[in-house]
Structure formats: structure tokens, C-alpha cells
Amino acid sequence: MRQAEIEQLLPGVFQLTLGADTPLDMFLGIMEELHDPSEQILAGLERFFDPRRTDDPFVPYLTGWTGLDWLLEESPNGREAPEVFPPGLGRLGELVAEATFHLRWRGTSRGLVHFLETATGLTGFEVCEQVTGDDGARRPYHVRVRAPAAAVAYRELIDHIVEHEKPAHVTHEVTIGSDREPVLRRE
């Protein structure tokens, strides 16, 4: 708040004494200086809430606002929570930015593929809903997620995402690369 704006908030009797180098003028100058850091922050406040523009340490905090904090919690296989998101905070920020899309399409093949692509920064994920077993019979309520070979470094993250984003009654397996052999299996 500028000194002139503060002056307008003072009672009329105080306003009459302004401009004569009184102690009140000095106090108003000090008030302006004290308000300046807060004013600077408030002028660009939207920057803090935009996951693409905020400082890196704030991105994990925003995951809690969008319901994505499970990405930073303990993985389903019992491993400790990662200190940082494996593909990087930029990818995590993109997930936060796309949270409304993911919530709208959660539990669908389209939503799962988009989530995996956004999380890893890779394309080429597929969800096969017509999975057959070794006996050739269709496996009901089972999906196979195929990941590109470049996703091998994110093996655990992919399984964690699929486990969380698929419908609860559905089992899944994840294959990585062109060999189509299941790398991770979750029953």
C-alpha cells in the first residue's frame, strides 16, 4: 500500500496534519516500506498456484490440493516414498496442471494413458481390455498396460499409477517394451 493510499484511510483530524514533516509522515513512509514485500508477493500471487510457474519446492505441496499427493507416498510394493518424483518436478507440475482432466477421465483407458504419458513424458502407452489367459479364455476384469521400452526406468511408478487409477475391482499387468512379457503383475 502506498503512502497516499494509507493517508486516505486515516481519520480526518490526522489527515489535516499531513505534509508538514510531522512524525505521522515518517510513520506512513515506514508503513509503506513495511507493506512493500507483501504487496510484491500479492501482485504476482497467481504464480504460486500455477504448477508450471511456481518454485520447485511448492509443486509437491500443490499435489495435496489436487489429490495427487499419493504419488509421493509409499508405493504399493512397500518401498519408501520417493524424495522427489522420479521423472522430475516438471512432470509432477504437469500432472497437477492436468488434474481436472485426470479426474474427469479416471478409471478409463483414455484417462490412464493420458496420466501415464503426462507423468513420464513418454508416448506410446496402450491399455488392452480384452486380455486372454494362457488357456485362451478371456480374463474378465483384467487389463494389460503396455509401456514403451523407454519407460523401463519408471517401472515402479507406472505400476503405482495403474494400481491407483484403475477401477478397484480390476486386476492388471504391465508390460514394457516390445517383448510383451509382463514385467510387473498385480493381482
Side-chain angles (χ1 to χ4, degrees), residues 48-175:
F48 290 99
F49 306 113
D50 182 347
R52 293 180 178 119
R53 294 174 43 209
T54 193
D55 296 331
D56 283 348
F58 201 65
V59 173
Y61 181 71
L62 291 176
T63 64
W65 289 11
T66 55
L68 295 173
D69 48 346
W70 58 268
L71 287 166
L72 301 175
E73 294 174 353
E74 185 177 314
S75 62
N77 62 5
R79 296 202 50 201
E80 289 184 21
E83 291 192 21
V84 294
F85 190 63
L89 289 177
R91 292 279 97 215
L92 187 60
E94 284 299 314
L95 284 172
V96 171
E98 296 283 328
T100 55
F101 178 89
H102 295 135
L103 286 173
R104 181 178 301 146
W105 290 98
R106 186 169 187 216
T108 66
S109 295
R110 177 181 178 184
L112 182 57
V113 167
H114 191 271
F115 197 107
L116 290 167
E117 288 178 350
T118 304
T120 62
L122 302 170
T123 58
F125 288 91
E126 300 173 6
V127 176
C128 179
E129 297 179 37
Q130 306 294 324
V131 179
T132 57
D134 294 335
D135 59 356
R138 186 171 177 273
R139 294 179 65 186
Y141 306 110
H142 184 81
V143 295
R144 177 178 294 134
V145 177
R146 293 182 177 146
V152 72
Y154 306 125
R155 194 177 286 183
E156 289 182 30
L157 175 66
I158 292 167
D159 190 51
H160 188 49
I161 290 171
V162 173
E163 179 67 29
H164 192 274
E165 292 297 303
K166 69 173 181 55
H169 65 281
V170 174
T171 59
H172 76 278
E173 62 187 70
V174 176
T175 62

Side-chain angles (χ1 to χ4, degrees), residues 1-2 6 30-40:
M1 221 174 191
R2 302 291 165 234
I6 299 171
I30 292 169
M31 285 179 72
E32 180 178 339
E33 286 182 38
L34 290 174
H35 283 134
D36 192 51
S38 300
E39 295 284 334
Q40 296 294 327

